[in-house]
Amino acid sequence: MSVTTKLEYTPLAEIPTIHAALKAGFNSGKTRDIAFRKKQLLGLAYMVKDNIPRFEAALAHDLGRPQLESHLMEISLCVKDAIDAYHNVDKWAKTEKAPFTLNFVALKPTIRKEPKGVVLIISPFNYPAWLCLGPLAGAIAAGNAVVIKPSENTHATSSLLAELVPKYLDRSVFRVVNGGIPETTSLLELQWDHILYTGNGTVGKIVATAAAKHLTPTTLELGGKCPVFIDPKYDLHLAARRIAWGKFANSGQTCVAPDYILVPVEAQDKFIAAFADVYKEFYPDGAAKSDSYSRIISEGHWNRINGLLTKTKGQVVLGGDTDGSQKFIAPTVVKNVKADDSLMSQEIFGPVLPIVPVASLDDAIAYVRGNDHPLALYVFTNDADFKKKVFESTQSGAAVANEVLMHTAVDGLPFGGTGPSGYGYHTGKYSFDTFTHLRSSLDTPGWFDVLLRNRYPPYTSKKLNTLNRILYPSIPSRDGKESHWGRWIISGLVISLFAAYGLKNPTTIQNTLTYLQNIVLRQN
Ligand code: NAD
């Protein structure tokens, strides 16, 4: 299967024109129609499904990605996100009633789910299709017009997206802009209604700064060093198998890949022995010959990872071989790595796994707490107290026990970082929410002035007294104890009264409300 190997950049002069066209497209109102959104979501799913061999070939070209990994970690997720949004958009987009309150129910408070407008999605190279198309599904479902800006590092996949999006989606509201720093900078100069950026934190700051100039809300999906805590009593073979898969898939270029291992010093060699067994199972003839192993995205990243490996003062115990001409770095395990090592100086984002021996669980926790909050934190243990201690003493985007990576694919879980690993969420309903404005709405009936008139001038102390009965909530006693029986009685009375009078007699309702408020106030 042939692929496009040279990415064509969108001419800089076209970028403001595309933006203006999408604004006009959005203002036409077409994206507000749920049937339109569903049609586009189906188009998105078919765009991927009809072209699976082309996506496989593009990912194999860009990242040397094995077919199974492409399906498991990328292509299937694109279809899943589109179809999940397709099936749920009616429900997600439905105007919601605000929670019932006695004081305000008559104002008919609702929450309208409105599109934010024209939004920008900027994606990185490591999952170049999914990290464009997954958020795109959420943005379409929410009714936005969207520009996606794929990574310039993935020539074949980004070219494929530029070719297919106009064929399958409505060009007046969905566009691809390809390019590098000048094109992204030009995009960022424009006013967007939301920007979702996925990538490294340094560029994340550039994006947030540019967005701030227009007060544009942003979602930053960033990275960081994801630690793994090992309880030596856990099945170390099972831990090694899961960790090795999560670390070496996509050659370690996964934002939530385990970055380093924290293991008690006395258990380090036992863990390495278990890892060595798994290593042989995974790559019986070595990773270089394996067709189950990806390559590093670019010479620049290969040089960076190779540099970290060359400078380490730890001891390479598995792998270690590299080949720049193939952008190959073997799955590598390095033991006795200290906190000041090159491998601990930045997110590795490659297939090198440092093992940091620690004297105690407290030391391991102190190390993690002393560094940036990671995007994911992993613990392998069957001991509930061990897990609780780790989770409750640390902060991270996700906290996962006895598993790695999978939380990004599990339905219903938000995907996002905290602190330097980012802010905001995506995947599934969380993508829809990210691109949705919750528009508060009321529709107050005329008769309600019977109650509201107390707010109008001329102000009197009688009006103030009546208002005060409604304005102040009941406060639990100072010891925090609350009695709920009053509420039950009130609810029963209200339902009976409303039913009895059929909402026909506002004066009676006013009297009832005031009477009930009095009961509540007197109770406390
Ligand atoms: P990258 O080099 O492909 O860049 C990402 C995007 O930023 C690209 O679209 C690129 O054009 C744009 N960009 C680059 N320099 C820019 C600049 N100066 N101004 C404006 N835009 C610019 O990918 P990357 O950033 O190297 O991606 C890897 C990082 O992304 C890792 O840190 C990884 O952990 C993180 N990541 C996070 C998630 C997540 O969901 N949290 C997912 C994947 C990757």
Side-chain angles (χ1 to χ4, degrees):
M1 174 84 44
S2 71
V3 296
T4 308
T5 52
K6 177 134 179 40
L7 180 62
E8 206 173 296
Y9 284 11
T10 306
L12 279 170
E14 266 183 33
I15 291 174
T17 317
I18 292 171
H19 181 260
L22 290 208
K23 273 224 171 279
F26 178 75
N27 287 336
S28 75
K30 63 164 68 168
T31 63
R32 288 186 177 262
D33 178 22
I34 302 291
F36 172 84
R37 299 183 202 178
K38 290 182 87 161
K39 189 170 170 222
Q40 300 303 311
L41 288 166
L42 263 194
L44 183 57
Y46 276 106
M47 177 181 110
V48 179
K49 186 170 181 289
D50 292 349
N51 295 284
I52 282 178
R54 298 190 68 193
F55 276 98
E56 285 175 354
L59 293 165
H61 173 270
D62 289 332
L63 288 145
R65 181 88 71 67
Q67 188 188 33
L68 184 147
E69 264 176 30
S70 285
H71 282 271
L72 179 68
M73 303 174 88
E74 180 128 24
I75 301 173
S76 67
L77 299 180
C78 298
V79 178
K80 188 168 90 102
D81 282 347
I83 292 306
D84 182 34
Y86 174 82
H87 286 307
N88 287 298
V89 61
D90 296 279
K91 187 172 66 193
W92 292 344
K94 214 170 175 178
T95 296
E96 263 177 39
K97 283 195 177 132
F100 175 84
T101 62
L102 198 54
N103 287 346
F104 297 118
V105 63
L107 280 67
K108 292 189 231 144
T110 54
I111 303 159
R112 296 167 59 88
K113 314 289 184 62
E114 304 257 344
K116 285 197 172 165
V118 184
V119 305
L120 173 64
I121 294 170
I122 305 175
S123 305
F125 68 81
N126 60 327
Y127 292 95
W130 181 49
L131 291 172
C132 280
L133 303 185
L136 176 62
I140 293 175
N144 297 277
V146 191
V147 166
I148 56 175
K149 177 12 215 120
S151 177
E152 68 274 35
N153 291 315
T154 46
H155 289 228
T157 312
S158 301
S159 301
L160 186 59
L161 292 172
E163 179 200 321
L164 296 178
V165 166
K167 286 189 186 154
Y168 283 83
L169 301 184
D170 185 323
R171 207 172 171 272
S172 69
V173 278
F174 306 116
R175 296 287 285 271
V176 176
V177 167
N178 267 317
I181 295 176
E183 291 73 17
T184 319
T185 305
S186 166
L187 283 168
L188 289 172
E189 279 161 8
L190 299 165
Q191 191 266 325
W192 302 90
D193 298 306
H194 193 100
I195 299 174
L196 185 147
Y197 163 80
T198 307
N200 67 76
T202 307
V203 175
K205 286 179 191 159
I206 295 173
V207 172
T209 306
K213 288 196 181 130
H214 296 285
L215 298 177
T216 298
T218 50
T219 301
L220 297 183
E221 297 282 346
L222 310 177
K225 288 180 85 63
C226 302
V228 185
F229 291 75
I230 302 285
D231 173 355
K233 295 197 282 307
Y234 190 77
D235 177 344
L236 294 182
H237 273 90
L238 181 58
R241 193 180 313 129
R242 291 182 179 172
I243 294 166
W245 169 72
K247 178 67 182 181
F248 300 140
N250 206 28
S251 221
Q253 299 161 107
T254 303
C255 54
V256 285
D259 191 272
Y260 63 98
I261 306 285
L262 294 160
V263 64
V265 63
E266 63 280 4
Q268 180 177 224
D269 288 337
K270 217 170 141 204
F271 178 70
I272 290 168
F275 218 93
D277 290 345
V278 170
Y279 200 96
K280 268 189 230 126
E281 274 170 38
F282 281 16
Y283 313 110
D285 302 316
K289 288 197 197 131
S290 170
D291 55 10
S292 304
Y293 191 63
S294 301
R295 295 295 182 267
I296 302 302
I297 184 68
S298 64
E299 215 180 296
H301 277 283
W302 186 89
N303 283 330
R304 181 184 60 78
I305 302 161
N306 193 46
L308 297 176
L309 189 55
T310 314
K311 285 190 212 115
T312 182
K313 297 204 173 66
Q315 187 185 339
V316 173
V317 286
L318 291 168
D321 36 325
T322 63
D323 178 352
S325 69
Q326 299 295 312
K327 290 182 277 168
F328 169 80
I329 295 182
T332 298
V333 176
V334 185
K335 77 179 238 188
N336 286 334
V337 173
K338 299 212 167 67
D340 60 356
D341 197 84
S342 58
L343 292 172
M344 300 307 285
S345 64
Q346 57 179 265
E347 178 183 3
I348 296 172
F349 216 58
V352 181
L353 184 64
I355 303 186
V356 181
V358 286
S360 66
L361 179 56
D362 285 333
D363 280 3
I365 289 171
Y367 179 77
V368 171
R369 286 171 67 132
N371 286 283
D372 288 347
H373 302 328
L375 187 58
L377 173 148
Y378 302 111
V379 53
F380 281 83
T381 185
N382 286 325
D383 177 342
D385 291 337
F386 188 103
K387 182 178 89 171
K388 185 167 185 266
K389 185 166 178 177
V390 173
F391 284 2
E392 292 190 358
S393 319
T394 55
Q395 286 174 269
S396 60
V400 176
N402 305 326
E403 187 53 89
V404 294
L405 270 58
M406 293 297 290
H407 61 285
T408 60
V410 172
D411 295 328
L413 292 181
F415 182 17
T418 181
S421 52
Y423 50 78
Y425 307 95
H426 72 114
T427 67
K429 166 84 160 45
Y430 295 96
S431 293
F432 174 88
D433 291 344
T434 288
F435 293 110
T436 294
H437 170 61
L438 300 180
R439 196 174 185 193
S440 293
S441 189
L442 298 177
D443 183 359
T444 309
W447 65 259
F448 205 65
D449 254 22
V450 172
L451 286 182
L452 294 179
R453 67 183 177 206
N454 288 309
R455 68 185 172 174
Y456 300 135
Y459 301 143
T460 63
S461 49
K462 187 172 172 231
K463 284 181 178 176
L464 178 61
N465 287 340
T466 310
L467 278 175
N468 277 349
R469 279 190 210 109
I470 301 167
L471 291 176
Y472 291 94
S474 67
I475 303 176
S477 62
R478 285 178 196 279
D479 61 6
K481 286 195 184 127
E482 239 179 316
S483 150
H484 294 290
W485 67 266
R487 283 197 197 143
W488 288 107
I489 293 177
I490 290 166
S491 307
L493 276 170
V494 170
I495 292 163
S496 332
L497 280 165
F498 272 66
Y501 287 95
L503 287 174
K504 279 186 195 134
N505 188 339
T507 314
T508 310
I509 290 169
Q510 185 203 8
N511 292 341
T512 311
L513 291 176
T514 312
Y515 174 70
L516 294 175
Q517 293 289 346
N518 279 336
I519 296 180
V520 173
L521 288 174
R522 246 182 274 131
Q523 234 189 25
N524 295 281

